[in-house]
Amino acid sequence: KNVIALYGGRFQPYHSGHQHAYEFLVKKFGKRNVYIGTSNKTGDKSPFKFKEKELIISTMFKIPKSNIIQMRTPYRPVELTDKFNPETTALIVGLGEKDANRLNGKYYEPYKGKIEKNILEGGYTIVLPQLQIKVGGETISGTQVRSVFSSDSDKAKKVLFKKLYKKMDDKIFSLLS
């Protein structure tokens, strides 16, 4: 069977913590088989449109745009699965522990290293490792990241940017600021 692995989320913004989880999937399933899925939905806690998230991910982490998929929901990823033969392809969705436990049931079951079902028969969940990003000894959240980039000084923004991305990119820095 072919295997496709999906890492879905809001990614507001995508950063090295998310990249850590993506690389976990790549090690297990291969770079060409791992996709990032995210929506175009924006709002107070979701300021970035799909194209902006795609730009951040492809620029800062060199993930091919062909592996970044716009979708409505990562739990029913038809925008991705419709590109593959459902009879010969298996779907694995990478999630945090809380979401994986919530999803397991009728369609999804935990991935235990063996693929027995195709997309038509069911999918698998795999719990992704979490990388905590710390600034000043404190773990930061997406809300805090957005807050710093919307109000703090350029110096504070640059310190955080380098923590999140390990390098400087003026175009992406401007997008976040």
Side-chain angles (χ1 to χ4, degrees), residues 5-154:
L6 173 65
Y7 179 30
R10 286 188 321 126
F11 306 126
Q12 294 287 343
Y14 189 94
H15 54 69
S16 56
H18 299 121
Q19 184 65 11
H20 179 72
Y22 169 82
E23 288 170 358
F24 170 83
L25 290 173
V26 167
K27 281 183 187 171
K28 285 200 167 302
F29 306 109
K31 189 170 185 159
R32 69 180 192 87
N33 300 319
V34 178
Y35 296 83
I36 294 173
T38 191
S39 75
N40 195 38
K41 185 179 176 187
T42 58
D44 288 344
K45 292 184 176 183
S46 302
F48 301 103
K49 296 177 182 171
F50 173 78
K51 285 292 182 190
E52 294 167 324
K53 292 184 273 186
E54 181 185 58
L55 180 66
I56 293 167
I57 295 166
S58 63
T59 300
M60 299 309 293
F61 299 101
K62 306 296 183 228
I63 296 171
K65 289 183 179 182
S66 59
N67 284 56
I68 306 166
I69 309 291
Q70 182 178 330
M71 54 184 48
R72 289 172 39 97
T73 173
Y75 308 130
R76 192 169 175 273
V78 294
E79 298 88 348
L80 175 62
T81 57
D82 283 355
K83 297 175 184 233
F84 296 89
N85 181 337
E87 295 175 6
T88 60
T89 305
L91 172 65
I92 298 175
V93 177
L95 307 156
E97 196 164 354
K98 173 182 67 170
D99 290 329
N101 291 332
R102 187 171 50 85
L103 269 192
N104 290 329
K106 282 187 177 178
Y107 183 79
Y108 289 103
E109 67 181 63
Y111 174 71
K112 295 182 176 156
K114 192 173 181 185
I115 305 281
E116 296 176 338
K117 296 180 178 184
N118 64 33
I119 291 171
L120 298 173
E121 299 165 328
Y124 298 91
T125 59
I126 189 168
V127 176
L128 299 171
Q130 300 295 307
L131 175 67
Q132 302 297 322
I133 298 173
K134 296 185 184 259
V135 174
E138 187 179 321
T139 301
I140 58 170
S141 69
T143 301
Q144 290 165 314
V145 168
R146 290 187 297 277
S147 176
V148 167
F149 280 107
S150 67
S151 63
D152 284 7
S153 71
D154 266 1

